[in-house]
Amino acid sequence: MKAAVLETLEKLVVKQVDDPIIDDDSALLKVESVSICGSDIRIFHHGNPRVKPPQIIGHEVAGVVLKAGKNVTRVKEGQRVAVGADVPCGQCKWCRDGLGNNCAINYAIGYQIPGAFAQLMKLPRLVLEEGPVAQFSEALDFDDAALAEPLACILNGLELVNMGLGRTIAIIGLGPIGCLMIDAARAMGATKIIAAEMNDLRMAIGKKYEADVYVNSAKENLVERCREETGGEGPNVVMTTCPSVEVHEQAVEMVAHRGWVNLFGGLGKNVRPLSVLSNTIHYKECFVTGSHGCVPRHHELAVRMLEKGMVRTQPVITHHFPLDEINQAFETMESQRGMKIVIHPNR
Ligand SMILES: [Zn+2]
Ligand SMILES: [Zn+2]
């Protein structure tokens, strides 16, 4: 098969490699669509302790099951399946409690397990038994189904802030995550959605998601606008979907009493620590959380929401590339000329 192999840092080479070997307990997936995640770009430049090159990365996947070993019951040949990233080990306390994204091993596709920037991907026994593998109908396109992985992480994030009927929410940063989060928050009951962004291209795409209020945070005072739009109280929920420590601070500052802040977007390595007055949290009785990845339940839910059209992916998918042009695809993503970029390894 043809695969893009990360040979060393910043060296992604498209070449012929051996097809994965399928035993009685594993299955073979023909990769139709695999989207590029911000974390793929970080692994490309800086590596990751869980990725040992040479490795095939890529974890936002949808395809067709070509072959299933005789002991496999989770999938059948010919089925369309989406596959997510985090795979619970199934053994530790966290995984047994259904919180596998907190697992110390933290197995993931495209990390310890070979990923999907390839024509074929093996679904080993652990992935089939414990992992995020969800079937979907012909009603859903492969590109959309690949985005079930980031959507699943969004659902985990929204659960952690008790998203529910009647809440006001500020989503700060309209990359692909912030955009999909607008639809997801609405589906979960938000009655007022305030979306903020500084980049014009991202704002234009974000507007297709029809939030109630859009704030250009390069030109307006974000904290003041969010307070004004919520009758002076501040939003019940603030989600930071951008890598900015300043935004983390603004989020705590603007959130309503008894509200929730989710520091959703991870930050780079050498970013200064968060600086907030403890008393702000103390007097507001607010809740500050983070969120990292998701568990298979979220991935399954994400696929069902996409099938129902509750979350739209098309506005954020700006580019498609064949596998041969994956380096160009990475550059397009990094230059911020594109939003979500999908690779089609078999087209
Ligand atoms: Zn991802
Ligand atoms: Zn575990």
Side-chain angles (χ1 to χ4, degrees):
M1 69 167 178
K2 207 193 294 178
V5 181
L6 182 69
E7 296 195 328
T8 55
L9 286 190
E10 303 190 324
K11 193 171 173 214
L12 193 56
V13 182
V14 180
K15 60 182 188 180
Q16 285 299 129
V17 299
D18 292 339
D19 286 358
I21 295 165
I22 303 306
D23 57 20
D24 291 347
D25 301 309
S26 56
L28 188 66
L29 190 76
K30 179 187 177 201
V31 179
E32 293 290 349
S33 298
V34 48
S35 47
I36 303 176
C37 180
S39 62
D40 295 321
I41 305 274
R42 283 197 296 277
I43 293 168
F44 175 77
H45 287 298
H46 310 293
N48 182 291
R50 294 184 287 144
V51 180
K52 301 265 178 277
Q55 177 64 300
I56 300 169
I57 61 172
H59 61 261
E60 301 180 354
V61 197
V64 176
V65 178
L66 278 189
K67 215 190 281 178
K70 70 172 166 45
N71 301 333
V72 172
T73 53
R74 181 99 180 257
V75 296
K76 291 194 185 74
E77 285 172 17
Q79 269 174 347
R80 296 153 76 89
V81 298
V83 185
D86 295 307
V87 180
C89 78
Q91 304 297 316
C92 75
K93 169 194 167 346
W94 297 103
C95 290
R96 279 189 278 109
D97 285 352
L99 296 167
N101 54 331
N102 290 277
C103 173
I105 307 173
N106 200 190
Y107 285 120
I109 305 232
Y111 288 73
Q112 302 96 329
I113 303 164
F117 291 139
Q119 290 181 308
L120 302 169
M121 183 173 87
K122 179 178 180 172
L123 302 177
R125 187 180 59 83
L126 181 69
V127 172
L128 290 169
E129 282 179 358
E130 306 283 346
V133 179
Q135 298 158 35
F136 61 92
S137 72
E138 305 241 330
L140 193 60
D141 186 87
F142 288 106
D143 288 1
D144 299 326
L147 267 65
E149 197 279 328
L151 177 58
C153 299
I154 291 168
L155 296 179
N156 179 40
L158 290 173
E159 278 186 0
L160 283 160
V161 294
N162 270 309
M163 195 61 207
L165 193 58
R167 302 238 196 277
T168 54
I169 178 173
I171 297 170
I172 306 168
L174 294 179
I177 291 285
C179 287
L180 300 186
M181 193 180 282
I182 295 175
D183 272 355
R186 191 186 294 111
M188 290 172 78
T191 45
K192 186 159 194 177
I193 302 172
I194 303 165
E197 174 57 53
M198 347 180 53
N199 172 298
D200 291 338
L201 171 75
R202 292 188 165 221
M203 181 62 107
I205 292 171
K207 284 192 171 163
K208 297 184 179 165
Y209 283 85
E210 302 155 292
D212 299 283
V213 179
Y214 285 91
V215 181
N216 181 334
S217 41
K219 294 184 183 147
E220 299 176 75
N221 183 316
L222 182 62
V223 175
E224 272 174 28
R225 259 315 285 289
C226 288
R227 283 207 186 116
E228 269 167 38
E229 291 292 342
T230 50
E233 298 283 343
N236 303 127
V237 170
V238 185
M239 302 292 292
T240 68
T241 48
C242 57
S244 158
V245 69
E246 287 81 13
V247 167
H248 288 182
E249 290 161 359
Q250 289 172 320
V252 175
E253 204 184 326
M254 75 168 78
V255 73
H257 280 245
R258 283 279 170 152
W260 291 266
V261 172
N262 189 330
L263 308 180
F264 188 95
L267 301 180
K269 266 186 195 141
N270 298 316
V271 179
R272 66 169 172 80
L274 184 64
S275 167
V276 291
L277 286 174
S278 304
N279 269 351
T280 308
I281 297 171
H282 171 82
Y283 285 114
K284 281 188 186 179
E285 300 190 327
C286 67
F287 303 89
V288 180
T289 182
S291 61
H292 166 242
C294 57
V295 297
R297 173 176 66 79
H298 295 118
H299 181 257
E300 173 77 36
L301 264 174
V303 170
R304 301 287 83 86
M305 290 177 89
L306 291 168
E307 263 182 344
K308 286 279 174 204
M310 294 162 90
V311 176
R312 296 161 289 174
T313 57
Q314 286 306 319
V316 299
I317 300 176
T318 54
H319 294 75
H320 300 91
F321 284 94
L323 190 60
D324 287 324
E325 292 170 24
I326 192 164
N327 281 290
Q328 218 176 306
F330 270 51
E331 279 164 31
T332 305
M333 171 115 171
E334 273 189 83
S335 67
Q336 297 221 338
R337 274 176 285 136
M339 288 270 270
K340 209 65 186 168
I341 294 172
V342 180
I343 305 284
H344 294 142
N346 283 293
R347 274 184 235 174

